[in-house]
Amino acid sequence: MKILVIEDEEELLNSISNYLQEEQFQCEYALDLKNARFRLNRENFDCFIVDIGLPDGSGLEFVKEIKKQQPESFIIIISARNSTENKVEGLNIGADDYLTKPFDLSELNARVNSALRRYKPIEKLQIDFNEIKIKTDLYQVFVHDVEISLTKKEYDLLLYFIANKNRVISKLAIVEHLWEYYQDPAESYDFLYAQIKNLRKKLTRSGCKDYIQNINRIGYRFRAN
């Protein structure tokens, strides 16, 4: 998952960036709107963490720009303004979450992971992704119009990958999506590796391109091309 943090307090910016990188996110940053706009126009991000009180303008205006240029991205506002009016305004213009300063970095990390888990746009009866076709009402998956048999976890994993195509997804985010309750992350990762290995094998053996890309030490990306 690729994140852009926009925050003018350099100490806080460094703390957020370092913490999220330790949590296996790809994290970049900007100290002002000028640099944030420069990055927005040249790179795609999965998540934006935006301070609304910036030295060269309002972060709320930048939220509007994000929604126009990268509408599928998640937006988390961080601000010292804690009034209900400020929060409602931020959410109404397109932010997904609002976190009031000061906050624990662990809480910010939880909000980022929660935003990714909430992204479930699987409401269509049929999903078409290149040579893959999924009939969600019947829980059927086809590759080149030939049905393949997937377990429930493999099916859920495939849907999650397609819903988040081209995003870098952390292993923890996938585990939390597939297993609501888990205790040992290491054991959960072993189960995850097995599910991905089996899903990849079933897809490629049916003539499907291998879209699952391992991102070293972070997680996976389901490539759309």
Side-chain angles (χ1 to χ4, degrees):
M1 191 176 190
K2 189 175 181 181
I3 302 173
L4 178 63
V5 183
I6 304 97
E7 167 61 60
D8 65 319
E9 296 179 34
E10 194 165 353
E11 184 177 349
L12 177 58
L13 176 64
N14 290 334
S15 296
I16 292 173
S17 299
N18 292 336
Y19 186 90
L20 291 177
Q21 286 172 352
E22 289 175 0
E23 293 297 314
Q24 309 304 314
F25 292 109
Q26 183 181 351
C27 195
E28 300 184 25
Y29 58 86
L31 285 162
D32 51 38
L33 279 178
K34 179 181 178 180
N35 284 296
R37 288 183 173 123
F38 178 85
R39 291 186 173 276
L40 176 67
N41 293 328
R42 287 162 177 78
E43 301 177 61
N44 290 318
F45 293 92
D46 302 298
C47 180
F48 291 84
I49 298 174
V50 185
D51 181 13
I52 59 177
L54 296 169
D56 54 345
S58 169
L60 292 176
E61 293 303 314
F62 186 61
V63 169
K64 296 177 184 178
E65 295 175 30
I66 295 170
K67 296 307 293 183
K68 288 181 180 178
Q69 296 190 45
Q70 299 187 29
E72 293 186 357
S73 298
F74 304 116
I75 303 173
I76 300 174
I77 290 176
I78 54 174
S79 175
R81 305 175 192 174
N82 63 356
S83 71
T84 300
E85 182 180 349
N86 291 137
K87 295 178 182 179
V88 169
E89 182 182 9
L91 296 173
N92 280 343
I93 64 174
D96 297 285
D97 207 341
Y98 192 111
L99 190 57
T100 304
K101 298 178 183 178
F103 52 81
D104 237 21
L105 292 175
S106 60
E107 182 179 0
L108 176 61
N109 179 52
R111 300 289 184 98
V112 172
N113 279 298
S114 176
L116 184 57
R117 290 196 302 272
R118 289 202 305 267
Y119 186 66
K120 300 176 182 178
I122 305 300
E123 298 179 356
K124 296 185 292 185
L125 294 181
Q126 181 168 309
I127 298 169
D128 294 293
F129 177 84
N130 297 343
E131 65 269 37
I132 301 173
K133 178 169 64 180
I134 304 174
K135 294 185 177 181
T136 59
D137 57 331
L138 300 174
Y139 296 94
Q140 292 178 313
V141 178
F142 300 82
V143 174
H144 295 298
D145 293 321
V146 177
E147 186 175 359
I148 64 173
S149 177
L150 300 181
T151 66
K152 179 63 167 60
K153 282 290 184 278
E154 292 164 359
Y155 175 85
D156 290 343
L157 180 59
L158 178 59
L159 284 183
Y160 190 57
F161 272 143
I162 292 177
N164 293 281
K165 57 183 179 293
N166 286 330
R167 299 179 186 274
V168 176
I169 312 173
S170 71
K171 292 180 286 187
L172 179 59
I174 302 174
V175 165
E176 290 181 338
H177 176 78
L178 292 180
W179 292 278
E180 184 176 356
Y181 302 103
Y182 68 96
Q183 294 181 341
D184 185 348
E187 183 178 344
S188 298
Y189 289 157
D190 287 338
F191 283 120
L192 174 62
Y193 300 147
Q195 297 294 336
I196 289 177
K197 178 182 178 181
N198 292 337
L199 175 62
R200 173 182 273 137
K201 183 185 297 183
K202 290 180 179 180
L203 290 173
T204 56
R205 282 185 175 177
S206 302
C208 182
K209 181 178 177 181
D210 186 5
Y211 296 105
I212 303 173
Q213 179 185 13
N214 293 13
I215 306 299
N216 189 35
R217 300 179 62 185
I218 299 176
Y220 299 88
R221 178 193 287 122
F222 197 81
R223 298 172 297 181
N225 48 44

